[in-house]
Amino acid sequence: MDDLISEFITETSESLAVLDLELVKLEQNPNDTAILGNIFRLVHTIKGTCGFLGLPRLESVAHAGENVLGKVRDGMIVVTQTTVTLIFEVLDTVKGIMDYLSENGSEPEGSDDDLIRRLNIYADSDGADDGGGAVAVANIDAPSDAAVTAVANDASFFEPDEFGFVPVPVVSEFNSPSIVEVDAAPVKVDAPQPAAVAAPAPQPAPKPAASPAKPVAKAEPKPAGDDDKAEAGGLAGQSIRVSLSVLENLMQMVGELVLTRNQLAQIARTKEDNDFKTPLQRLSLIVSELQEGVMKTRMQPIGNAWAKFPRLIRDLSLELDKKIELRMKGAETELDRQLLEMIKDPLTHMVRNSCDHGLETKEERAKTKKPAVGTVTLDAYHEGGHIIVDIIDDGRGINVARIKQKAVENGLATQEELEAMSDHQIGQFIFKAGFSTAEKVTSVSGRGVGMDVVRTNIEKIGGTVELESVPGVGSTFHIKIPLTLAIVSVLVVRASEQKFAIPQINVVELVRAGRRMEHKVEMLNGSPVLRLRDKLLPLISLSRVLQLPSKAEQNNFENCYIVVCRIGASDYGLIVDSVYDTEEIVVKPVSSRLQGISIYSGNTVLGDGNVIMIL
């Protein structure tokens, strides 16, 4: 039974994610019978499976929601924002019970009688009475009588045939970016099996699984021939469910293989003529291909992290009384599953921030002759081995004067310091802890908690976040993150006879400095700087930061190496004693004894067997 419950939780969670998207689309397209059919089937499947597994509380909530959807399907209730809000209440209640079920193995104590009562009143009154508990919102454009009649006529699509079967599309998703769609197969109505219907993974714009445009209730059931079975079996057999722990373990083993390959390559480099050169090259090629193949199993489209945003935007537009449109580009861009999980919360906060702080009210947009509907755009793409995610809004932009005022009030800077800063530098104050320009605290923002956590979490995974804003035009947040955290490219440097690794995502260029060279280290108020292409670059000695003897300073910065690093929009130079080579390394977590030292992000084993720290 535990296995059945586990399978039910997985598949129902996927169904709920799809329902979030489909309900938003139904609200925007109330006449679309294909979307309505998909929603009804998913809710019906959840209800039936709950009854099969003996989960009465989940079944009763889903059943009441299905009653409302049944009236909508039959054309008795017109799709309005009130209708959609009620169904969202059902989904949120189901999610809450599911969370408890997954942690404790049983349904929580309590009652959903109030929600069920309101749903039943709404269904019995054909949408005329919401029972006094639904959010009061204006109805969207009602469909025409002809459209309602068309839905009613198409209701036969959902009726069981003479054998008691109803056509239901079987869609499988096996923890993979790709979705395998199988032709419609009959599923028993009265006792659906928990593994019979698996909803597709959350996608930014999922294609409806089947269109009920053509009534098929009167069609004779066609016996499945050998060709049909072979085709369905072939498609379904292209994907399997694999536990994440198995993939993680496989990734670790490949990482160890990469380390061993590097060690063998190091040995081979010390001997010019040896019999191992050719097989080692072949081994290196195979290991690289294996590494690439295993990495693909971890990659997922970023659209999976965006799946909840249409629902979020819909709820925020009601709460803030703003008309907001969400646009998503590059949803198919892939990145590591681990990173995908880590950026979900930062992205959510930034989208909420754009809706609340960025977009103006309807009245303000009318005064500035902007379109009544504000736009928030998510754009993801690859660039130089990294993933770039842009969150763009066409709102009011950053209020520099307001930020200056708040910065002075919070003691973050003096008025004189602010006058010397550019607007771009002043905009970075929004990433300070406790900083907020909101006039009052609301459920959406105003507490000064959020943007500082966003930057901290993104920098924790080796990424950067930058803000660009044009007053009256809008704002853009640029997020730059690595493709994966498992295997990264680094530059190996030396400071005081010790080697360290610098992630290449932060390295811009290398400069050699000396008194007789083109670039010289100069002193400005006691601090070293480098004049690089007519810009003063502040310098930091790696040895001094690590509290080691600095050879470069002892030699008065003669013949020293400077690694130019970029964090966000800021550049600085890191003074090191020497530079070795770039290497692909397997990142190992920092020992618990060193976790308190913020200088290190991890460690790795080089080809010569030495352990070095990653800065």
Side-chain angles (χ1 to χ4, degrees), residues 88-138:
F88 270 133
E89 279 194 66
V90 172
L91 299 189
D92 291 340
T93 303
V94 171
K95 285 176 189 173
I97 299 174
M98 291 276 295
D99 290 342
Y100 187 92
L101 180 65
S102 63
E103 291 179 8
N104 302 281
S106 62
E107 290 184 316
E109 295 181 2
S111 171
D112 306 299
D113 290 345
D114 180 61
L115 174 59
I116 293 170
R117 178 188 61 80
R118 289 192 284 113
L119 287 164
N120 290 337
I121 290 173
Y122 193 72
D124 294 341
S125 66
D126 292 342
D129 185 359
D130 63 12
V135 179
V137 289

Side-chain angles (χ1 to χ4, degrees), residues 324-437:
I324 308 172
E325 179 187 354
L326 176 66
R327 297 176 183 171
M328 295 186 282
K329 303 177 185 176
E332 69 284 351
T333 305
E334 293 186 335
L335 75 162
D336 193 298
R337 181 197 63 81
Q338 186 181 2
L339 285 170
L340 196 67
E341 292 297 321
M342 290 180 173
I343 66 168
K344 276 183 181 178
D345 288 342
L347 284 178
T348 301
H349 183 86
M350 296 173 88
V351 169
R352 290 170 64 89
N353 198 69
S354 294
C355 293
D356 188 27
H357 290 291
L359 297 179
E360 308 95 330
T361 61
K362 288 181 281 190
E363 294 76 16
E364 289 173 332
R365 292 183 76 86
K367 287 179 185 176
T368 54
K369 297 182 179 179
K370 283 187 174 183
V373 180
T375 303
V376 175
T377 304
L378 294 170
D379 189 9
Y381 52 94
H382 289 277
E383 186 179 273
H386 309 117
I387 296 284
I388 310 294
V389 183
D390 291 340
I391 298 104
I392 309 161
D393 68 70
D394 64 346
R396 59 174 69 92
I398 292 295
N399 187 335
V400 176
R402 179 76 176 143
I403 291 178
K404 282 183 176 180
Q405 177 189 341
K406 279 286 185 178
V408 173
E409 289 176 6
N410 294 358
L412 298 173
T414 64
Q415 194 65 44
E416 292 74 20
E417 290 171 337
L418 290 171
E419 294 301 327
M421 293 182 183
S422 65
D423 287 353
H424 178 78
Q425 289 173 313
I426 292 171
Q428 304 311 305
F429 279 112
I430 69 167
F431 293 106
K432 297 289 186 183
F435 192 91
S436 176
T437 57

Side-chain angles (χ1 to χ4, degrees), residues 451-515:
M451 294 309 290
D452 62 315
V453 178
V454 165
R455 169 167 274 184
T456 302
N457 287 346
I458 290 175
E459 288 181 351
K460 197 180 291 182
I461 58 176
T464 59
V465 56
E466 275 301 310
L467 168 66
E468 291 181 8
S469 182
V470 179
V473 177
S475 303
T476 300
F477 287 97
H478 293 283
I479 301 175
K480 182 179 182 181
I481 52 178
L483 277 171
T484 178
L485 293 179
I487 298 176
V488 299
S489 294
V490 297
L491 177 70
V492 181
V493 300
R494 181 170 60 83
S496 297
E497 308 305 325
Q498 293 187 37
K499 289 182 179 179
F500 298 92
I502 303 174
Q504 273 194 261
I505 188 175
N506 301 119
V507 177
V508 180
E509 61 181 308
L510 298 174
V511 177
R512 198 169 179 183
R515 281 174 293 182

Side-chain angles (χ1 to χ4, degrees), residues 59-89:
E59 183 185 13
S60 58
V61 173
H63 180 69
E66 187 189 26
N67 287 343
V68 174
L69 288 171
K71 288 291 187 81
V72 175
R73 180 198 66 181
D74 296 338
M76 298 177 183
I77 294 179
V78 174
V79 176
T80 64
Q81 285 181 336
T82 304
T83 313
V84 174
T85 300
L86 270 171
I87 301 302
F88 270 133
E89 279 194 66

Side-chain angles (χ1 to χ4, degrees), residues 164-175:
F165 288 84
V166 63
V168 178
V170 178
V171 184
S172 301
E173 191 278 319
F174 301 93
N175 222 352

